[in-house]
Short mmCIF file of all heavy atoms in Angstrom, two decimals:
data_model
loop_
_atom_site.label_atom_id
_atom_site.label_comp_id
_atom_site.label_asym_id
_atom_site.label_seq_id
_atom_site.Cartn_x
_atom_site.Cartn_y
_atom_site.Cartn_z
N LEU A 716 7.27 -8.67 -18.16
CA LEU A 716 6.34 -9.22 -19.14
C LEU A 716 5.37 -8.15 -19.66
O LEU A 716 5.04 -8.12 -20.84
CB LEU A 716 5.56 -10.37 -18.50
CG LEU A 716 4.67 -11.20 -19.39
CD1 LEU A 716 5.52 -11.98 -20.39
CD2 LEU A 716 3.84 -12.16 -18.55
N THR A 717 4.91 -7.28 -18.77
CA THR A 717 3.92 -6.27 -19.16
C THR A 717 4.55 -4.96 -19.61
O THR A 717 3.84 -4.07 -20.07
CB THR A 717 2.95 -5.98 -18.00
OG1 THR A 717 3.71 -5.52 -16.87
CG2 THR A 717 2.15 -7.22 -17.64
N TRP A 718 5.86 -4.82 -19.50
CA TRP A 718 6.52 -3.57 -19.87
C TRP A 718 6.24 -3.15 -21.31
O TRP A 718 5.95 -1.98 -21.56
CB TRP A 718 8.02 -3.65 -19.60
CG TRP A 718 8.69 -2.34 -19.79
CD1 TRP A 718 9.55 -2.01 -20.80
CD2 TRP A 718 8.56 -1.18 -18.98
NE1 TRP A 718 9.97 -0.72 -20.66
CE2 TRP A 718 9.36 -0.18 -19.54
CE3 TRP A 718 7.83 -0.88 -17.84
CZ2 TRP A 718 9.47 1.09 -19.01
CZ3 TRP A 718 7.93 0.39 -17.30
CH2 TRP A 718 8.74 1.35 -17.88
N PRO A 719 6.28 -4.05 -22.30
CA PRO A 719 5.96 -3.62 -23.67
C PRO A 719 4.55 -3.04 -23.79
O PRO A 719 4.33 -2.07 -24.52
CB PRO A 719 6.11 -4.90 -24.50
CG PRO A 719 7.03 -5.75 -23.72
CD PRO A 719 6.76 -5.44 -22.28
N LEU A 720 3.60 -3.60 -23.08
CA LEU A 720 2.23 -3.06 -23.11
C LEU A 720 2.18 -1.67 -22.49
O LEU A 720 1.49 -0.78 -23.00
CB LEU A 720 1.28 -4.01 -22.37
CG LEU A 720 -0.17 -3.56 -22.27
CD1 LEU A 720 -0.79 -3.46 -23.66
CD2 LEU A 720 -0.96 -4.50 -21.39
N ILE A 721 2.92 -1.47 -21.42
CA ILE A 721 2.97 -0.16 -20.77
C ILE A 721 3.59 0.87 -21.70
O ILE A 721 3.06 1.98 -21.85
CB ILE A 721 3.72 -0.26 -19.43
CG1 ILE A 721 2.95 -1.12 -18.45
CG2 ILE A 721 3.98 1.13 -18.85
CD1 ILE A 721 3.72 -1.50 -17.21
N VAL A 722 4.68 0.51 -22.34
CA VAL A 722 5.34 1.44 -23.27
C VAL A 722 4.43 1.75 -24.45
O VAL A 722 4.28 2.89 -24.86
CB VAL A 722 6.69 0.85 -23.74
CG1 VAL A 722 7.29 1.68 -24.86
CG2 VAL A 722 7.66 0.77 -22.56
N TRP A 723 3.79 0.71 -25.00
CA TRP A 723 2.88 0.93 -26.11
C TRP A 723 1.73 1.86 -25.71
O TRP A 723 1.36 2.76 -26.47
CB TRP A 723 2.31 -0.41 -26.60
CG TRP A 723 1.25 -0.23 -27.64
CD1 TRP A 723 1.43 -0.01 -28.97
CD2 TRP A 723 -0.16 -0.21 -27.42
NE1 TRP A 723 0.22 0.14 -29.59
CE2 TRP A 723 -0.77 0.01 -28.66
CE3 TRP A 723 -0.96 -0.37 -26.29
CZ2 TRP A 723 -2.16 0.09 -28.80
CZ3 TRP A 723 -2.32 -0.29 -26.43
CH2 TRP A 723 -2.92 -0.06 -27.67
N SER A 724 1.16 1.65 -24.52
CA SER A 724 0.07 2.51 -24.05
C SER A 724 0.53 3.95 -23.90
O SER A 724 -0.19 4.89 -24.29
CB SER A 724 -0.46 2.02 -22.70
OG SER A 724 -0.97 0.72 -22.81
N ALA A 725 1.72 4.13 -23.36
CA ALA A 725 2.24 5.49 -23.18
C ALA A 725 2.48 6.16 -24.52
O ALA A 725 2.17 7.35 -24.70
CB ALA A 725 3.52 5.46 -22.37
N GLN A 726 3.00 5.41 -25.48
CA GLN A 726 3.27 6.00 -26.80
C GLN A 726 1.98 6.25 -27.57
O GLN A 726 1.88 7.21 -28.33
CB GLN A 726 4.19 5.08 -27.60
CG GLN A 726 5.58 5.02 -27.05
CD GLN A 726 6.44 3.96 -27.74
OE1 GLN A 726 5.93 3.10 -28.45
NE2 GLN A 726 7.74 4.03 -27.49
N THR A 727 0.99 5.41 -27.38
CA THR A 727 -0.26 5.54 -28.12
C THR A 727 -1.15 6.63 -27.53
O THR A 727 -1.71 7.44 -28.26
CB THR A 727 -1.03 4.20 -28.12
OG1 THR A 727 -0.18 3.20 -28.67
CG2 THR A 727 -2.30 4.31 -28.93
N PHE A 728 -1.28 6.66 -26.23
CA PHE A 728 -2.24 7.56 -25.59
C PHE A 728 -1.59 8.75 -24.89
O PHE A 728 -2.29 9.65 -24.44
CB PHE A 728 -3.09 6.79 -24.58
CG PHE A 728 -3.84 5.65 -25.20
CD1 PHE A 728 -3.48 4.34 -24.93
CD2 PHE A 728 -4.86 5.88 -26.09
CE1 PHE A 728 -4.15 3.28 -25.51
CE2 PHE A 728 -5.55 4.83 -26.68
CZ PHE A 728 -5.19 3.53 -26.40
N GLY A 729 -0.28 8.75 -24.78
CA GLY A 729 0.41 9.82 -24.07
C GLY A 729 0.65 11.04 -24.95
O GLY A 729 0.39 11.04 -26.16
N GLN A 730 1.14 12.07 -24.33
CA GLN A 730 1.47 13.29 -25.05
C GLN A 730 2.84 13.15 -25.69
O GLN A 730 3.78 12.73 -25.02
CB GLN A 730 1.48 14.48 -24.08
CG GLN A 730 0.14 14.76 -23.44
CD GLN A 730 -0.86 15.31 -24.43
OE1 GLN A 730 -0.50 15.98 -25.38
NE2 GLN A 730 -2.13 14.98 -24.22
N PRO A 731 2.99 13.52 -26.95
CA PRO A 731 4.31 13.43 -27.57
C PRO A 731 5.29 14.40 -26.92
O PRO A 731 4.96 15.54 -26.62
CB PRO A 731 4.07 13.79 -29.04
CG PRO A 731 2.69 14.34 -29.11
CD PRO A 731 1.97 13.98 -27.85
N GLY A 732 6.48 13.93 -26.66
CA GLY A 732 7.51 14.78 -26.08
C GLY A 732 7.39 14.97 -24.58
O GLY A 732 8.14 15.74 -23.99
N TRP A 733 6.47 14.27 -23.93
CA TRP A 733 6.30 14.43 -22.48
C TRP A 733 7.46 13.78 -21.76
O TRP A 733 7.90 12.69 -22.09
CB TRP A 733 5.00 13.78 -22.02
CG TRP A 733 4.75 13.92 -20.56
CD1 TRP A 733 4.19 14.98 -19.92
CD2 TRP A 733 5.06 12.97 -19.54
NE1 TRP A 733 4.12 14.74 -18.58
CE2 TRP A 733 4.67 13.52 -18.31
CE3 TRP A 733 5.66 11.72 -19.53
CZ2 TRP A 733 4.81 12.86 -17.10
CZ3 TRP A 733 5.82 11.06 -18.33
CH2 TRP A 733 5.40 11.63 -17.14
N THR A 734 7.96 14.47 -20.76
CA THR A 734 9.00 13.91 -19.89
C THR A 734 8.53 14.07 -18.45
O THR A 734 7.86 15.04 -18.11
CB THR A 734 10.35 14.62 -20.07
OG1 THR A 734 10.18 16.01 -19.82
CG2 THR A 734 10.90 14.43 -21.47
N PRO A 735 8.89 13.12 -17.59
CA PRO A 735 8.46 13.23 -16.20
C PRO A 735 9.13 14.43 -15.53
O PRO A 735 10.23 14.82 -15.89
CB PRO A 735 8.92 11.92 -15.56
CG PRO A 735 9.92 11.35 -16.48
CD PRO A 735 9.66 11.90 -17.85
N PRO A 736 8.44 15.04 -14.56
CA PRO A 736 9.03 16.20 -13.88
C PRO A 736 10.23 15.82 -13.04
O PRO A 736 10.35 14.69 -12.58
CB PRO A 736 7.89 16.72 -13.01
CG PRO A 736 7.01 15.53 -12.80
CD PRO A 736 7.14 14.68 -14.03
N ASP A 737 11.11 16.77 -12.85
CA ASP A 737 12.28 16.58 -12.01
C ASP A 737 11.87 16.86 -10.57
O ASP A 737 11.70 18.02 -10.15
CB ASP A 737 13.40 17.52 -12.45
CG ASP A 737 14.67 17.33 -11.66
OD1 ASP A 737 14.73 16.40 -10.84
OD2 ASP A 737 15.61 18.12 -11.86
N ILE A 738 11.70 15.81 -9.78
CA ILE A 738 11.21 15.94 -8.41
C ILE A 738 12.16 16.77 -7.56
O ILE A 738 11.74 17.57 -6.74
CB ILE A 738 10.97 14.55 -7.78
CG1 ILE A 738 9.85 13.85 -8.51
CG2 ILE A 738 10.65 14.66 -6.30
CD1 ILE A 738 9.62 12.43 -8.08
N GLY A 739 13.46 16.57 -7.76
CA GLY A 739 14.45 17.33 -7.00
C GLY A 739 14.33 18.81 -7.23
O GLY A 739 14.47 19.61 -6.30
N ARG A 740 14.05 19.20 -8.46
CA ARG A 740 13.91 20.63 -8.76
C ARG A 740 12.60 21.18 -8.21
O ARG A 740 12.53 22.30 -7.72
CB ARG A 740 13.98 20.85 -10.27
CG ARG A 740 14.06 22.31 -10.67
CD ARG A 740 14.32 22.48 -12.16
NE ARG A 740 13.45 21.69 -13.02
CZ ARG A 740 12.21 22.05 -13.37
NH1 ARG A 740 11.70 23.18 -12.94
NH2 ARG A 740 11.48 21.30 -14.16
N LEU A 741 11.54 20.37 -8.26
CA LEU A 741 10.24 20.84 -7.79
C LEU A 741 10.17 20.97 -6.27
O LEU A 741 9.63 21.94 -5.74
CB LEU A 741 9.13 19.89 -8.26
CG LEU A 741 8.79 19.90 -9.73
CD1 LEU A 741 7.80 18.80 -10.05
CD2 LEU A 741 8.22 21.23 -10.14
N PHE A 742 10.67 19.97 -5.55
CA PHE A 742 10.51 19.92 -4.11
C PHE A 742 11.79 20.17 -3.33
O PHE A 742 11.79 20.15 -2.12
CB PHE A 742 9.94 18.57 -3.68
CG PHE A 742 8.57 18.32 -4.24
CD1 PHE A 742 8.39 17.35 -5.20
CD2 PHE A 742 7.49 19.06 -3.82
CE1 PHE A 742 7.14 17.11 -5.73
CE2 PHE A 742 6.23 18.82 -4.35
CZ PHE A 742 6.05 17.85 -5.31
N GLY A 743 12.88 20.38 -4.03
CA GLY A 743 14.14 20.62 -3.35
C GLY A 743 15.00 19.37 -3.32
O GLY A 743 14.50 18.25 -3.34
N GLN A 744 16.29 19.58 -3.28
CA GLN A 744 17.22 18.46 -3.28
C GLN A 744 17.04 17.63 -2.00
O GLN A 744 16.81 18.17 -0.93
CB GLN A 744 18.66 18.96 -3.38
CG GLN A 744 18.97 19.63 -4.71
CD GLN A 744 18.77 18.71 -5.90
OE1 GLN A 744 19.02 17.52 -5.82
NE2 GLN A 744 18.31 19.26 -7.01
N GLY A 745 17.16 16.35 -2.12
CA GLY A 745 17.01 15.46 -0.98
C GLY A 745 15.60 14.91 -0.83
O GLY A 745 15.37 13.98 -0.07
N SER A 746 14.63 15.47 -1.55
CA SER A 746 13.25 14.99 -1.41
C SER A 746 13.10 13.58 -1.97
O SER A 746 12.21 12.85 -1.56
CB SER A 746 12.29 15.94 -2.11
OG SER A 746 12.57 16.01 -3.49
N GLU A 747 13.98 13.20 -2.90
CA GLU A 747 13.92 11.85 -3.44
C GLU A 747 14.17 10.81 -2.36
O GLU A 747 13.63 9.71 -2.41
CB GLU A 747 14.95 11.65 -4.56
CG GLU A 747 14.78 12.58 -5.73
CD GLU A 747 15.62 13.85 -5.61
OE1 GLU A 747 16.07 14.15 -4.49
OE2 GLU A 747 15.81 14.52 -6.61
N LEU A 748 14.96 11.15 -1.38
CA LEU A 748 15.29 10.20 -0.31
C LEU A 748 14.09 9.92 0.59
O LEU A 748 14.00 8.85 1.18
CB LEU A 748 16.45 10.73 0.54
CG LEU A 748 17.78 10.91 -0.20
CD1 LEU A 748 18.81 11.54 0.72
CD2 LEU A 748 18.26 9.58 -0.75
N THR A 749 13.18 10.87 0.70
CA THR A 749 12.01 10.66 1.55
C THR A 749 10.82 10.10 0.78
O THR A 749 9.85 9.65 1.39
CB THR A 749 11.58 11.98 2.22
OG1 THR A 749 11.24 12.93 1.20
CG2 THR A 749 12.69 12.51 3.09
N THR A 750 10.89 10.12 -0.53
CA THR A 750 9.75 9.67 -1.34
C THR A 750 9.51 8.18 -1.19
O THR A 750 8.37 7.75 -0.98
CB THR A 750 9.98 10.03 -2.82
OG1 THR A 750 10.17 11.43 -2.93
CG2 THR A 750 8.81 9.62 -3.67
N ILE A 751 10.54 7.37 -1.30
CA ILE A 751 10.37 5.92 -1.24
C ILE A 751 9.86 5.46 0.12
O ILE A 751 8.86 4.72 0.19
CB ILE A 751 11.66 5.20 -1.65
CG1 ILE A 751 11.94 5.47 -3.13
CG2 ILE A 751 11.58 3.70 -1.38
CD1 ILE A 751 13.25 4.96 -3.63
N PRO A 752 10.47 5.88 1.25
CA PRO A 752 9.89 5.47 2.54
C PRO A 752 8.45 5.96 2.73
O PRO A 752 7.62 5.22 3.27
CB PRO A 752 10.81 6.10 3.57
CG PRO A 752 12.09 6.34 2.86
CD PRO A 752 11.72 6.60 1.43
N ALA A 753 8.14 7.16 2.26
CA ALA A 753 6.78 7.67 2.40
C ALA A 753 5.80 6.82 1.60
O ALA A 753 4.70 6.51 2.07
CB ALA A 753 6.71 9.12 1.95
N CYS A 754 6.18 6.41 0.40
CA CYS A 754 5.31 5.56 -0.42
C CYS A 754 5.10 4.20 0.23
O CYS A 754 3.99 3.67 0.24
CB CYS A 754 5.89 5.40 -1.81
SG CYS A 754 5.79 6.89 -2.81
N LEU A 755 6.16 3.62 0.76
CA LEU A 755 6.03 2.32 1.42
C LEU A 755 5.15 2.41 2.66
O LEU A 755 4.28 1.57 2.89
CB LEU A 755 7.41 1.78 1.79
CG LEU A 755 8.31 1.39 0.62
CD1 LEU A 755 9.69 1.03 1.13
CD2 LEU A 755 7.71 0.25 -0.16
N LEU A 756 5.35 3.43 3.47
CA LEU A 756 4.56 3.58 4.68
C LEU A 756 3.12 3.95 4.37
O LEU A 756 2.21 3.59 5.12
CB LEU A 756 5.19 4.61 5.61
CG LEU A 756 6.48 4.15 6.27
CD1 LEU A 756 7.12 5.30 7.03
CD2 LEU A 756 6.21 2.99 7.20
N ASN A 757 2.90 4.67 3.28
CA ASN A 757 1.55 5.04 2.93
C ASN A 757 0.70 3.81 2.63
O ASN A 757 -0.42 3.69 3.12
CB ASN A 757 1.56 5.98 1.72
CG ASN A 757 0.19 6.46 1.36
OD1 ASN A 757 -0.58 6.84 2.23
ND2 ASN A 757 -0.14 6.43 0.09
N GLY A 758 1.23 2.89 1.84
CA GLY A 758 0.49 1.67 1.54
C GLY A 758 0.24 0.83 2.79
O GLY A 758 -0.85 0.29 2.98
N PHE A 759 1.23 0.73 3.64
CA PHE A 759 1.11 0.00 4.90
C PHE A 759 0.01 0.63 5.76
O PHE A 759 -0.86 -0.05 6.29
CB PHE A 759 2.46 0.03 5.62
CG PHE A 759 2.47 -0.63 6.95
CD1 PHE A 759 2.49 -2.02 7.06
CD2 PHE A 759 2.47 0.12 8.11
CE1 PHE A 759 2.52 -2.64 8.29
CE2 PHE A 759 2.49 -0.49 9.35
CZ PHE A 759 2.51 -1.87 9.43
N SER A 760 0.04 1.95 5.87
CA SER A 760 -0.94 2.65 6.71
C SER A 760 -2.35 2.54 6.14
O SER A 760 -3.31 2.35 6.89
CB SER A 760 -0.56 4.12 6.84
OG SER A 760 0.68 4.23 7.46
N GLU A 761 -2.48 2.66 4.84
CA GLU A 761 -3.81 2.54 4.25
C GLU A 761 -4.40 1.16 4.50
O GLU A 761 -5.58 1.04 4.81
CB GLU A 761 -3.74 2.82 2.75
CG GLU A 761 -3.57 4.27 2.41
CD GLU A 761 -3.50 4.52 0.92
OE1 GLU A 761 -3.76 3.58 0.14
OE2 GLU A 761 -3.18 5.64 0.54
N GLU A 762 -3.58 0.14 4.38
CA GLU A 762 -4.06 -1.22 4.63
C GLU A 762 -4.51 -1.37 6.08
O GLU A 762 -5.56 -1.96 6.36
CB GLU A 762 -2.96 -2.23 4.31
CG GLU A 762 -3.36 -3.66 4.53
CD GLU A 762 -4.43 -4.15 3.58
OE1 GLU A 762 -4.60 -3.56 2.50
OE2 GLU A 762 -5.12 -5.12 3.93
N LEU A 763 -3.74 -0.85 7.01
CA LEU A 763 -4.12 -0.96 8.41
C LEU A 763 -5.38 -0.15 8.72
O LEU A 763 -6.22 -0.58 9.51
CB LEU A 763 -2.97 -0.49 9.31
CG LEU A 763 -1.80 -1.45 9.38
CD1 LEU A 763 -0.72 -0.87 10.28
CD2 LEU A 763 -2.23 -2.81 9.90
N ILE A 764 -5.51 1.01 8.11
CA ILE A 764 -6.71 1.82 8.34
C ILE A 764 -7.94 1.10 7.82
O ILE A 764 -8.99 1.06 8.47
CB ILE A 764 -6.55 3.21 7.73
CG1 ILE A 764 -5.53 4.01 8.55
CG2 ILE A 764 -7.88 3.95 7.65
CD1 ILE A 764 -5.10 5.31 7.92
N VAL A 765 -7.83 0.49 6.65
CA VAL A 765 -8.97 -0.24 6.11
C VAL A 765 -9.32 -1.41 7.03
O VAL A 765 -10.47 -1.64 7.36
CB VAL A 765 -8.68 -0.73 4.67
CG1 VAL A 765 -9.70 -1.75 4.21
CG2 VAL A 765 -8.65 0.46 3.73
N ARG A 766 -8.29 -2.16 7.47
CA ARG A 766 -8.55 -3.30 8.36
C ARG A 766 -9.07 -2.83 9.71
O ARG A 766 -9.96 -3.43 10.29
CB ARG A 766 -7.28 -4.11 8.57
CG ARG A 766 -6.92 -4.98 7.42
CD ARG A 766 -5.63 -5.71 7.73
NE ARG A 766 -5.35 -6.72 6.76
CZ ARG A 766 -5.65 -8.00 6.91
NH1 ARG A 766 -6.25 -8.42 8.00
NH2 ARG A 766 -5.35 -8.87 5.99
N ALA A 767 -8.48 -1.77 10.24
CA ALA A 767 -8.81 -1.34 11.60
C ALA A 767 -10.17 -0.66 11.68
O ALA A 767 -10.91 -0.88 12.63
CB ALA A 767 -7.74 -0.40 12.12
N TRP A 768 -10.49 0.14 10.71
CA TRP A 768 -11.69 0.95 10.82
C TRP A 768 -12.84 0.44 9.98
O TRP A 768 -13.88 0.05 10.51
CB TRP A 768 -11.37 2.39 10.43
CG TRP A 768 -10.40 2.99 11.38
CD1 TRP A 768 -9.08 3.23 11.16
CD2 TRP A 768 -10.65 3.39 12.72
NE1 TRP A 768 -8.49 3.75 12.27
CE2 TRP A 768 -9.43 3.87 13.25
CE3 TRP A 768 -11.77 3.39 13.55
CZ2 TRP A 768 -9.31 4.35 14.54
CZ3 TRP A 768 -11.65 3.87 14.83
CH2 TRP A 768 -10.43 4.33 15.31
N ILE A 769 -12.66 0.43 8.69
CA ILE A 769 -13.78 0.14 7.81
C ILE A 769 -14.25 -1.30 7.96
O ILE A 769 -15.44 -1.55 8.17
CB ILE A 769 -13.40 0.47 6.36
CG1 ILE A 769 -13.07 1.96 6.26
CG2 ILE A 769 -14.51 0.11 5.40
CD1 ILE A 769 -12.46 2.38 4.95
N MET A 770 -13.33 -2.25 7.84
CA MET A 770 -13.76 -3.65 7.91
C MET A 770 -14.32 -4.01 9.28
O MET A 770 -15.31 -4.73 9.37
CB MET A 770 -12.60 -4.57 7.54
CG MET A 770 -12.25 -4.53 6.07
SD MET A 770 -10.93 -5.66 5.62
CE MET A 770 -11.78 -7.22 5.74
N THR A 771 -13.70 -3.50 10.33
CA THR A 771 -14.19 -3.79 11.68
C THR A 771 -15.58 -3.21 11.89
O THR A 771 -16.48 -3.88 12.45
CB THR A 771 -13.22 -3.24 12.74
OG1 THR A 771 -11.93 -3.79 12.49
CG2 THR A 771 -13.67 -3.59 14.13
N ALA A 772 -15.80 -1.99 11.42
CA ALA A 772 -17.12 -1.36 11.59
C ALA A 772 -18.18 -2.10 10.79
O ALA A 772 -19.28 -2.36 11.30
CB ALA A 772 -17.05 0.10 11.16
N ILE A 773 -17.87 -2.46 9.57
CA ILE A 773 -18.85 -3.19 8.75
C ILE A 773 -19.13 -4.56 9.33
O ILE A 773 -20.29 -5.01 9.36
CB ILE A 773 -18.36 -3.28 7.28
CG1 ILE A 773 -18.37 -1.88 6.66
CG2 ILE A 773 -19.21 -4.24 6.47
CD1 ILE A 773 -17.74 -1.82 5.29
#
Side-chain angles (χ1 to χ4, degrees):
L716 188 67
T717 59
W718 187 251
L720 178 63
I721 294 169
V722 171
W723 173 82
S724 299
Q726 291 172 347
T727 304
F728 302 109
Q730 297 290 330
W733 181 84
T734 57
D737 183 6
I738 294 174
R740 189 172 49 82
L741 289 174
F742 298 111
Q744 294 300 326
S746 61
E747 300 93 343
L748 298 175
T749 61
T750 302
I751 293 173
C754 289
L755 292 173
L756 288 173
N757 184 44
F759 178 76
S760 299
E761 285 180 9
E762 180 67 22
L763 288 179
I764 289 170
V765 167
R766 284 179 171 263
W768 296 105
I769 299 170
M770 288 182 73
T771 304
I773 292 172

